[in-house]
Amino acid sequence: MTETIKEHISEIEAFTANTKDEVENFRIKYLGKKGILNGYFAEFKAVPNEEKKAFGQAVNELKDAATNKVQKLKEELESREEEKGVYGDLSRPGEPVEIGARHPISIVKNQIIEIFSNIGFNVSEGPEMEDDWHNFTALNLPEYHPARDMQDTFFIQTNPDVLLRTHTSSVQVRYMEDNKPPIRTISPGRVFRNEAISARSHCIFHQVEGLYVDKNVSFADLKQTLLYFTKQLFGKSKIRLRPSYFPFTEPSAEVDIYWGLETETDYRITKGTGWLEIMGCGMVDPNVLRNCNIDPSEYSGFAFGMGIERIAMLLYQIGDIRMFYENDMRFLEQFKSSI
Ligand code: DAH
């Protein structure tokens, strides 16, 4: 008899359970009213006197083993439940991760940087708060030069020497002051103009400036570089350069790309011509090189400048420049990009 009790005890020790029901069934089997333990208690009277002691001890051991086991299993299951409370159901499917969107201005800026970095241009930056020298004078716009009126300037308080830069051309000057040719750099950044805000213009916008200075840089180099750029960014391979005027370049030109006249939108945005103006450019004026301590008899260079908003509006067919600054999630969420 004691042998079978010992077998029960080892059975109890080996037992494991995953659910409350399994624990409960186990409890009923051993400790329930009609359970194994009570069965042994009922037999106690019939046990011969000399065996009673050993039998009683064995039954007590069985009782302790079963009671402890039930207690232990219950605690284990409860602590597992607590974990579930913290982590939820660990086997449930994962929640979809929302991919963030980049601002369209950043996407286009990064595209432009990538295109130019592939042909050896680095990226440079300058301050948004500038002095008169870097924004105007060094760029061949001395005081009282009428071309200063081309760009309505925000001055800082009453000091006319400190202003918010009106274009990224100021970075050209800083870069040439600090670096010797050969120079190949593009300078993206924010610029500021005292202009009324409308669907087409804003008082804050972004530009990318390009500068290439070396020996024997020619207008043909400029044209090829721009052609490469427009092919890469727009997938369009027809451009034209219209003579224009900028104080810091001579000769100067405005660059148009042939957009085409396939859709009604094409007609509208090109005013029926098929051509779109995308930037200004030219050969760096010798005065500008001299102002930056570069000898114009030894070196020549080209420069160009474009507005990022305008290009983003073309690429994404955005009709109102104000959309870029309104932080409307419904607008921004549409721009998922890997760049
Ligand atoms: N700075 C000019 C503007 O803001 C753009 C520009 C034109 C930049 C010609 C250049 C250039 O570097 O060569 O309108």
Side-chain angles (χ1 to χ4, degrees):
M1 189 96 77
T2 15
E3 278 311 300
T4 26
I5 295 176
K6 294 240 159 80
E7 273 170 32
H8 277 309
I9 291 176
S10 40
E11 217 179 273
I12 288 170
E13 270 157 12
F15 181 76
T16 55
N18 284 318
T19 64
K20 280 185 179 169
D21 281 350
E22 282 171 14
V23 179
E24 183 58 9
N25 288 340
F26 173 83
R27 191 192 63 78
I28 291 168
K29 181 177 167 191
Y30 286 97
L31 303 171
K33 243 188 201 162
K34 294 177 186 165
I36 290 171
L37 197 74
N38 276 349
Y40 284 123
F41 281 136
E43 281 173 33
F44 193 71
K45 269 185 254 155
V47 175
N49 269 350
E50 63 276 17
E51 286 175 30
K52 270 201 163 89
K53 193 177 168 203
F55 181 80
Q57 259 174 8
V59 172
N60 271 338
E61 269 174 43
L62 178 66
K63 187 183 167 192
D64 286 348
T67 322
N68 289 342
K69 190 73 180 192
V70 169
Q71 180 68 18
K72 208 174 129 206
L73 288 174
K74 276 189 181 164
E75 278 170 13
E76 264 177 25
L77 283 181
E78 265 165 31
S79 77
R80 270 197 241 169
E81 297 254 299
E82 269 170 31
E83 263 177 38
K84 260 195 199 169
V86 176
Y87 299 113
D89 175 4
L90 294 179
S91 63
R92 76 197 187 285
E95 294 197 353
V97 179
E98 272 285 317
I99 296 173
R102 231 182 258 286
H103 195 282
I105 296 297
S106 300
I107 297 175
V108 173
K109 180 184 86 178
N110 291 342
Q111 279 173 343
I112 296 171
I113 289 175
E114 188 168 299
I115 292 170
F116 281 105
S117 70
N118 285 341
I119 52 168
F121 281 71
N122 66 9
V123 176
S124 51
E125 282 180 355
E128 292 179 350
M129 208 190 283
E130 260 302 358
D131 51 41
D132 180 280
W133 170 257
H134 292 96
N135 196 79
F136 291 126
T137 309
L139 287 163
N140 212 21
L141 277 139
E143 208 183 345
Y144 305 121
H145 191 291
R148 284 195 179 204
D149 290 345
M150 284 162 76
Q151 303 171 354
D152 293 312
T153 310
F154 283 119
F155 291 95
I156 306 295
Q157 295 192 334
T158 49
N159 184 351
D161 192 43
V162 187
L163 46 92
L164 293 177
R165 67 180 176 195
T166 57
H167 52 183
T168 44
S169 302
S170 55
V171 189
Q172 270 191 40
V173 179
R174 288 188 176 271
Y175 199 86
M176 285 191 277
E177 283 173 345
D178 295 344
N179 296 277
K180 294 256 149 300
I183 288 169
R184 271 186 240 109
T185 190
I186 55 165
S187 325
R190 211 153 41 149
V191 300
F192 308 83
R193 287 187 199 177
N194 192 357
E195 270 176 34
I197 298 172
S198 72
R200 311 236 92 229
S201 70
H202 209 285
C203 56
I204 301 176
F205 57 101
H206 298 76
Q207 288 186 333
V208 177
E209 190 80 10
L211 177 69
Y212 183 14
V213 182
D214 202 352
K215 287 183 175 147
N216 302 317
V217 176
S218 71
F219 203 89
D221 298 324
L222 168 61
K223 229 173 133 180
Q224 277 310 311
T225 306
L226 297 178
L227 190 59
Y228 156 78
F229 168 70
T230 50
K231 266 190 201 164
Q232 296 288 311
L233 189 65
F234 300 100
K236 313 262 180 191
S237 50
K238 205 160 129 188
I239 60 170
R240 72 178 181 195
L241 277 76
R242 272 180 297 108
S244 184
Y245 171 75
F246 298 102
F248 27 89
T249 43
E250 181 59 35
S252 305
E254 256 150 337
V255 185
D256 297 343
I257 53 171
Y258 189 70
W259 195 255
L261 282 174
E262 276 158 35
T263 66
E264 226 171 279
T265 321
D266 293 347
Y267 268 90
R268 188 171 44 79
I269 61 176
T270 68
K271 299 194 182 94
T273 64
W275 291 95
L276 268 179
E277 183 199 316
I278 53 156
M279 65 172 112
C281 68
M283 300 305 291
V284 181
D285 194 291
N287 286 337
V288 177
L289 293 175
R290 227 173 276 123
N291 286 337
C292 304
N293 300 319
I294 293 177
D295 182 357
S297 64
E298 198 180 343
Y299 294 103
S300 56
F302 65 70
F304 54 86
M306 63 189 118
I308 302 184
E309 276 79 356
R310 183 167 163 69
I311 291 176
M313 286 168 85
L314 285 173
L315 288 174
Y316 294 118
Q317 303 283 301
I318 298 164
D320 192 323
I321 197 170
R322 291 169 290 199
M323 299 290 279
F324 291 121
Y325 315 108
E326 275 166 6
N327 291 332
D328 184 336
M329 292 298 284
R330 292 166 302 176
F331 172 72
L332 296 173
E333 270 169 0
Q334 298 174 67
F335 301 95
K336 312 234 156 158
S337 163
S338 58
I339 199 163

